[in-house]
Amino acid sequence: MCINYICTECGKKYDPKTLVFRCDCGGLFNLEKPDLKFSNEDILNNEWSLFRYIKTLPFNNDFDLWKDITMGEGLTPIVPLEKKNPNLLVKVDYSMPTLSFKDRGAAVLIAKAKELGVNKVIQDSSGNAGTSIAAYASRAGIECDIYVPEGTSSKKIKQISSHGANVHIVKGTREDTASAALNAVENGEGFYASHVYNPFFYEGTKTYAYEIYEQLGGEMPQAVVIPVGNGTLLLGCYYGFKELFNLGLIEKIPKIIAVQAEDCAPIYKAFNEGKQSVNEVTNAGTLAEGIAIAKPMRGKQILEAVRATKGEIITAPENKIIETRKYLAEKGFYVEPTTAATFAGFFNYYNENNHKLTGKILLPLCGAGLKKD
Ligand SMILES: *Cc1c(COP(=O)(O)O)cnc(C)c1O
Ligand SMILES: [Zn+2]
């Protein structure tokens, strides 16, 4: 399969074998892939992980290194949140090897890194993406350096270092952490396994959409609600929907309702001001650390994706996050605050717009409660 990196700014193409992480012009990469051929018969019915959709993933037909790397990630349950509303569905995406949805992206990205012959990866994260990359890198026998901002949950840091990764705690903002990792990459210290820069990560998160399609028997929800910081789940899900639509497997792309934290909402702001790109804001200290991204690098793409689905961007009220976390626990789901924020934002919106939402609505449970005190 001929796959290229293609610059989102100037269109220049690169072979992934070059291991570059962004264009000479500074632009981020998308993937350019051959036209996808896929039907229900191509699902590997005996493979109980997201690699059952291997035909849609960016690997050659004879590629089987993923078999040594998968830990059964994906195929997470879809169930109603509560009996009284059978149309309000949750996808239990913290049922993953490292307890967050980031395993979708990490499994595919690390399999690709292995194929490219990489022996060391570098990554920066507010916690969960770092944990996923550390776990999969270790399983694949790849050395790993993870950069996290100071203030990252000590449990997440322990989880990362338990996989043998070198953890670098960086003073300052999330953006300072990203700069530190970038410096290391530019000094030639390793392959940038970034969930923000590396488009192979999104090939993994797109399986979220394929699973919805398969598990709901092709009857797609009217809307999916997705937390958004850097947009790894949102963009992946959108790419998946678009592929399913282009393949003629679904008739309509579900509306994407994206949720940002009230105290750190740059994409929400740009969306509502009708802008095409996102300006940096200051994180006023949101409890939703997993979506506290003041300067989202793929902001422009996120705006385009949400608008293309006629979706919306809403915010989660900070003062509702803790009580929503309790509410979800009452329903049996113990989640981290960022996940509670997604629901807090949605409930707020739903109560005001009840009449507009009639079909199925699906929300993800992205991160497990044990990750955070
Ligand atoms: C990563 C993460 C998010 C947000 O994902 P983005 O890629 O930043 O949009 C939301 N919730 C949890 C639990 C996460 O780990
Ligand atoms: Zn470019």
Side-chain angles (χ1 to χ4, degrees), residues 6-14 22-29:
I6 178 163
C7 175
T8 53
E9 297 295 330
C10 73
K12 190 171 169 190
K13 294 175 192 176
Y14 296 78
R22 68 178 166 198
C23 182
D24 291 338
C25 83
L28 267 61
F29 290 141

Short mmCIF file of all heavy atoms in Angstrom, two decimals, residues 6-14 22-29, ligand 2:
data_model
loop_
_atom_site.label_atom_id
_atom_site.label_comp_id
_atom_site.label_asym_id
_atom_site.label_seq_id
_atom_site.Cartn_x
_atom_site.Cartn_y
_atom_site.Cartn_z
N ILE A 6 1.01 13.92 3.94
CA ILE A 6 0.76 15.08 3.10
C ILE A 6 0.52 16.30 3.99
O ILE A 6 -0.24 16.23 4.96
CB ILE A 6 -0.41 14.82 2.11
CG1 ILE A 6 -0.70 16.06 1.27
CG2 ILE A 6 -1.67 14.34 2.79
CD1 ILE A 6 -1.52 15.79 0.02
N CYS A 7 1.23 17.36 3.69
CA CYS A 7 1.20 18.56 4.54
C CYS A 7 -0.17 19.23 4.46
O CYS A 7 -0.71 19.45 3.38
CB CYS A 7 2.28 19.53 4.13
SG CYS A 7 2.20 21.09 5.05
N THR A 8 -0.75 19.56 5.63
CA THR A 8 -2.06 20.21 5.67
C THR A 8 -1.98 21.67 5.23
O THR A 8 -3.01 22.30 4.98
CB THR A 8 -2.66 20.16 7.10
OG1 THR A 8 -1.68 20.69 8.00
CG2 THR A 8 -2.99 18.74 7.52
N GLU A 9 -0.76 22.22 5.16
CA GLU A 9 -0.62 23.63 4.78
C GLU A 9 -0.27 23.81 3.31
O GLU A 9 -0.87 24.61 2.61
CB GLU A 9 0.47 24.31 5.64
CG GLU A 9 0.15 24.35 7.13
CD GLU A 9 -1.07 25.20 7.48
OE1 GLU A 9 -1.34 26.18 6.76
OE2 GLU A 9 -1.76 24.87 8.46
N CYS A 10 0.75 23.04 2.84
CA CYS A 10 1.25 23.32 1.48
C CYS A 10 1.09 22.13 0.54
O CYS A 10 1.39 22.23 -0.65
CB CYS A 10 2.71 23.76 1.53
SG CYS A 10 3.85 22.40 1.88
N GLY A 11 0.64 20.98 1.07
CA GLY A 11 0.38 19.83 0.21
C GLY A 11 1.60 18.99 -0.16
O GLY A 11 1.49 18.00 -0.87
N LYS A 12 2.78 19.39 0.34
CA LYS A 12 3.98 18.62 0.03
C LYS A 12 3.87 17.21 0.63
O LYS A 12 3.33 17.03 1.72
CB LYS A 12 5.21 19.34 0.60
CG LYS A 12 6.53 18.75 0.14
CD LYS A 12 7.71 19.64 0.54
CE LYS A 12 9.02 18.90 0.31
NZ LYS A 12 10.18 19.60 0.89
N LYS A 13 4.40 16.22 -0.11
CA LYS A 13 4.28 14.83 0.34
C LYS A 13 5.62 14.27 0.82
O LYS A 13 6.67 14.66 0.31
CB LYS A 13 3.77 13.95 -0.81
CG LYS A 13 2.36 14.29 -1.20
CD LYS A 13 1.94 13.49 -2.41
CE LYS A 13 0.64 14.08 -2.95
NZ LYS A 13 0.21 13.41 -4.17
N TYR A 14 5.56 13.37 1.77
CA TYR A 14 6.75 12.73 2.32
C TYR A 14 6.46 11.24 2.51
O TYR A 14 5.34 10.86 2.86
CB TYR A 14 7.09 13.29 3.70
CG TYR A 14 7.48 14.75 3.74
CD1 TYR A 14 6.50 15.74 3.69
CD2 TYR A 14 8.81 15.14 3.86
CE1 TYR A 14 6.85 17.09 3.74
CE2 TYR A 14 9.17 16.49 3.92
CZ TYR A 14 8.18 17.45 3.86
OH TYR A 14 8.52 18.78 3.91
N ARG A 22 6.95 16.68 10.75
CA ARG A 22 6.15 17.76 10.18
C ARG A 22 6.85 18.26 8.92
O ARG A 22 8.02 17.95 8.68
CB ARG A 22 5.92 18.90 11.17
CG ARG A 22 7.15 19.66 11.52
CD ARG A 22 6.86 20.82 12.47
NE ARG A 22 8.13 21.28 13.02
CZ ARG A 22 8.26 22.01 14.11
NH1 ARG A 22 7.21 22.39 14.79
NH2 ARG A 22 9.45 22.38 14.52
N CYS A 23 6.12 19.05 8.15
CA CYS A 23 6.63 19.54 6.87
C CYS A 23 7.73 20.60 7.09
O CYS A 23 7.79 21.25 8.12
CB CYS A 23 5.46 20.15 6.11
SG CYS A 23 5.89 20.75 4.47
N ASP A 24 8.56 20.75 6.08
CA ASP A 24 9.56 21.83 6.08
C ASP A 24 8.90 23.18 6.38
O ASP A 24 9.52 24.06 6.96
CB ASP A 24 10.23 21.95 4.71
CG ASP A 24 11.11 20.75 4.41
OD1 ASP A 24 11.52 20.09 5.39
OD2 ASP A 24 11.38 20.50 3.22
N CYS A 25 7.66 23.35 5.93
CA CYS A 25 6.97 24.63 6.11
C CYS A 25 6.38 24.75 7.51
O CYS A 25 5.79 25.78 7.85
CB CYS A 25 5.88 24.80 5.05
SG CYS A 25 4.32 23.98 5.45
N GLY A 26 6.51 23.71 8.32
CA GLY A 26 5.96 23.75 9.68
C GLY A 26 4.58 23.12 9.79
O GLY A 26 4.07 22.93 10.89
N GLY A 27 3.97 22.80 8.64
CA GLY A 27 2.61 22.24 8.65
C GLY A 27 2.55 20.83 9.20
O GLY A 27 3.53 20.08 9.15
N LEU A 28 1.39 20.48 9.74
CA LEU A 28 1.16 19.11 10.25
C LEU A 28 0.78 18.19 9.10
O LEU A 28 0.29 18.64 8.06
CB LEU A 28 0.03 19.13 11.27
CG LEU A 28 0.45 19.29 12.73
CD1 LEU A 28 1.18 20.59 12.95
CD2 LEU A 28 -0.75 19.19 13.65
N PHE A 29 0.97 16.91 9.32
CA PHE A 29 0.65 15.93 8.28
C PHE A 29 -0.72 15.29 8.44
O PHE A 29 -1.15 14.98 9.55
CB PHE A 29 1.67 14.79 8.30
CG PHE A 29 3.05 15.17 7.85
CD1 PHE A 29 4.16 14.66 8.50
CD2 PHE A 29 3.23 16.02 6.76
CE1 PHE A 29 5.45 14.99 8.09
CE2 PHE A 29 4.52 16.35 6.33
CZ PHE A 29 5.62 15.83 7.00
ZN ZN B 2 4.06 22.13 4.13
#
